[in-house]
Amino acid sequence: MTGADQPSAFRLAYVPGATPAKWVRIWGERHPEVPLDLVAVTAAEAAGVVREGGVDAALLRLSEDREGLHAIPLYTETTVVVVPKEHLVAAADEVSTADLADELVLHPLDDSLGWEQLPGKPALERPETTGDAIELVAAGVGVLVVPQSLARLHHRRDLTYRPVVDAPQSRVALSWPEGETSDLVEQFIGIVRGRTVNSTRGQQETQAKKGKAAPAKKKQREPDRRRNVPKPGGRGKPRRRR
């Protein structure tokens, strides 16, 4: 694509905890002519931004509401509980929800785990964000169960986390609007799926060749059946005299 057909940029939204850096780097190597613009969105607004066409695609956490969206699940995150370093949970390698029965478990409004039943004791109020909940954990007010990527995002030296083996898990996916998938989205899908530049190029070449008439086959040269026939005017093999 050149000139007016060349898009100004590829817009990729991502939710907190998602790490698109590797794929952004590969995009820059393969498509230096098309900038990739990152758009930070909350988990709650990500699907709406995609549906409304605010971005070309998004790295988001899958929810039950997928109307109007294509989605390719990329990976499932480990769920962890965030606690102060001196907490009893810190002495274990992993815990279950039953181990949190006596804990005040914070439930932020931007929670992405979709609990049917939150473990432990409920707090009187729900923190506005995961970041706010982390601050409360650091202050000794309860514990927080989140995807591991969010625990890393809000890392503090005075806090630690441990896996919760039976908690709900968050799945991160690449999503884009239903309908015709653009060439740029197809290229990004290839990157996140680990296709090499050669395999991508090969597919492009195959598609470009579709519709073209196959080259006419060369007419095979018939064997010269007269190869052993003497040339006109030539003399045949001399006969021996008896």
Side-chain angles (χ1 to χ4, degrees):
M1 291 181 292
T2 58
D5 294 332
Q6 181 66 51
S8 58
F10 180 70
R11 298 159 299 167
L12 177 68
Y14 68 101
V15 297
T19 52
K22 175 183 175 181
W23 299 322
V24 172
R25 175 181 56 79
I26 296 174
W27 178 275
E29 294 171 353
R30 297 187 186 178
H31 305 286
E33 74 286 357
V34 182
L36 191 154
D37 292 343
L38 290 174
V39 181
V41 295
T42 65
E45 66 186 6
V49 171
V50 177
R51 289 191 187 99
E52 294 166 4
V55 294
D56 297 294
L59 296 172
L60 47 69
R61 290 188 171 83
L62 285 177
S63 65
E64 296 297 327
D65 181 14
R66 303 184 195 175
E67 184 178 355
L69 300 175
H70 288 297
I72 299 175
L74 301 177
Y75 56 88
T76 300
E77 294 192 85
T78 299
T79 303
V80 301
V81 57
V82 182
V83 298
K85 280 192 173 180
E86 65 274 10
H87 197 283
L88 289 176
V89 166
D93 292 330
E94 59 185 28
V95 298
S96 66
T97 53
D99 295 325
L100 306 177
D102 296 328
E103 301 291 340
L104 181 68
V105 179
L106 301 169
H107 191 202
L109 294 175
D110 62 356
D111 173 72
S112 58
L113 292 176
W115 293 95
E116 292 185 3
Q117 180 63 47
L118 193 71
K121 301 175 182 178
L124 294 177
E125 295 183 2
R126 296 181 65 179
E128 188 74 21
T129 66
T130 297
D132 294 336
I134 290 287
E135 294 295 329
L136 291 174
V137 174
V141 184
V143 301
L144 176 65
V145 182
V146 291
Q148 183 171 303
S149 64
L150 291 179
R152 289 176 174 171
L153 178 66
H154 297 284
H155 171 73
R156 289 175 54 119
R157 292 184 178 181
D158 53 348
L159 300 180
T160 188
Y161 56 84
R162 294 293 182 269
V164 184
V165 294
D166 57 346
Q169 294 179 307
S170 170
R171 290 196 298 165
V172 175
L174 174 66
S175 182
W176 66 98
E178 281 187 348
E180 184 177 354
T181 302
S182 70
D183 291 340
L184 292 181
V185 170
E186 286 284 6
Q187 292 298 321
F188 195 76
I189 291 171
I191 289 173
V192 299
R193 283 182 162 175
R195 294 177 194 156
T196 65
V197 63
N198 290 331
S199 63
T200 302
R201 184 180 302 159
Q203 290 183 353
Q204 291 176 335
E205 290 176 353
T206 300
Q207 292 176 355
K209 290 178 181 178
K210 287 182 179 180
K212 288 185 178 181
K217 293 184 178 180
K218 292 183 178 180
K219 186 176 180 180
Q220 293 183 350
R221 184 177 180 181
E222 295 184 1
D224 188 354
R225 296 178 181 177
R226 302 178 58 191
R227 185 174 299 171
N228 297 324
V229 178
K231 294 181 181 180
R235 300 178 60 184
K237 187 176 181 180
R239 299 177 60 185
R240 290 184 178 181
R241 292 181 180 178
R242 294 181 178 178

